[in-house]
Amino acid sequence: DSGVTQTPKHLITATGQRVTLRCSPRSGDLSVYWYQQSLDQGLQFLIQYYNGEERAKGNILERFSAQQFPDLHSELNLSSLELGDSALYFCASSLGTSGRALHEQYFGPGTRLTVT
Amino acid sequence: GQNIDQPTEMTATEGAIVQINCTYQTSGFNGLFWYQQHAGEAPTFLSYNVLDGLEEKGRFSSFLSRSKGYSYLLLKELQMKDSASYLCAVRDNYGQNFVFGPGTRLSVLP
């Protein structure tokens, strides 16, 4: 158990819908990261927040957005869903923003999203 | 562009040593790291290199050569539980983006 929690574990929804994925980082960790993992594209970095502010952006679509709240939990919002958005979405957390504190990321168990 | 290459699959025998290579071409460099991912599970952090050289951590070691855009992960005294995918990733120093390789699926045979 990494100490990072994600809800829900599974989500099935229809095309065009909007969903929200939730992540609670490990106690004391200030950085939260979101990743998407699909069979054909591997693990893709989406976005990073540090202490409530956006710190880095990866291959995140405009239909997707995220935020980190004052209690440090984070939400990833996916809208106008398409079949291709079906994937495993991981959240990870780390203590800091540089050096080993940044890169020693702890991953949550993931949310499996299926768009039908 | 951003590109990371790793072998797709490798097979080794229990108790042996295996080296998984990773080559990268990215927009700047701000560290390379390795993750282990068992099927159906989340990735687990293994190692982080930002300077050239070898970092050792128990049975696992990771090496980096920035001038060659090259890293390897060395696993010693292989155990059956080491059967997993190993992901190489680089963080660039412009957008602070993480770029992941496709992963190397390692099978450890008895």
Side-chain angles (χ1 to χ4, degrees), chain A residues 33 35 37 43 45 48 56 58 90 99-100 102-105 107-108, chain B residues 30 33 35 37 41-43 45 48 57 87 91 95-98 100:
Chain A
Y33 313 78
Y35 296 89
Q37 187 170 40
L43 194 61
F45 167 67
Q48 177 201 354
F90 286 110
R100 194 175 183 91
L102 162 67
H103 292 289
E104 194 152 351
Q105 295 181 28
F107 280 72
Chain B
N30 195 22
F33 50 103
Y35 282 88
Q37 187 175 25
E41 297 182 11
F45 173 84
Y48 164 67
K57 192 178 177 185
L87 309 174
R91 190 164 210 192
Q96 297 295 305
N97 188 19
F98 287 92
F100 280 79

Side-chain angles (χ1 to χ4, degrees), chain B residues 1-15:
Chain B
Q2 316 269 61
N3 189 52
I4 296 183
D5 284 321
Q6 306 177 233
T8 305
E9 291 191 31
M10 298 184 70
T11 303
T13 306
E14 198 174 11

Side-chain angles (χ1 to χ4, degrees), chain A residues 29-90:
Chain A
D29 283 358
L30 299 177
S31 273
V32 169
Y33 313 78
W34 286 98
Y35 296 89
Q36 179 193 59
Q37 187 170 40
S38 58
L39 282 175
D40 57 343
Q41 293 205 336
L43 194 61
Q44 302 245 334
F45 167 67
L46 297 178
I47 197 164
Q48 177 201 354
Y49 280 83
Y50 175 75
N51 206 19
E53 293 192 2
E54 183 183 304
R55 184 56 66 100
K57 223 168 185 175
N59 301 319
I60 188 166
L61 300 171
E62 284 193 18
R63 300 183 286 109
F64 295 1
S65 65
Q67 55 183 327
Q68 186 180 28
F69 295 87
D71 67 352
L72 301 177
H73 91 270
S74 178
E75 292 180 357
L76 178 67
N77 300 296
L78 316 175
S79 61
S80 302
L81 284 168
E82 302 174 0
L83 295 177
D85 297 327
S86 295
L88 196 50
Y89 290 84
F90 286 110

Side-chain angles (χ1 to χ4, degrees), chain B residues 24-108:
Chain B
Y24 65 89
Q25 290 175 307
T26 56
S27 310
F29 178 83
N30 195 22
L32 182 144
F33 50 103
W34 287 91
Y35 282 88
Q36 179 192 60
Q37 187 175 25
H38 286 98
E41 297 182 11
T44 303
F45 173 84
L46 289 178
S47 69
Y48 164 67
N49 296 71
V50 68
L51 299 176
D52 292 351
L54 188 68
E55 292 270 343
E56 297 186 80
K57 192 178 177 185
R59 294 189 299 115
F60 294 2
S61 303
S62 57
F63 171 83
L64 174 67
S65 168
R66 288 171 296 170
S67 62
K68 294 181 180 175
Y70 167 71
S71 172
Y72 67 73
L73 180 69
L74 193 71
L75 293 76
K76 303 176 188 174
E77 301 169 17
L78 280 172
Q79 302 175 8
M80 299 296 288
K81 67 178 182 179
D82 297 330
S83 292
S85 285
Y86 291 85
L87 309 174
C88 171
V90 171
R91 190 164 210 192
D92 69 37
N93 59 9
Y94 294 107
Q96 297 295 305
N97 188 19
F98 287 92
V99 183
F100 280 79
T104 298
R105 187 159 55 211
L106 174 67
S107 298
V108 180

Side-chain angles (χ1 to χ4, degrees), chain A residues 3 25-29 93 95:
Chain A
R26 288 188 325 154
S27 177
D29 283 358
S93 72
L95 180 59

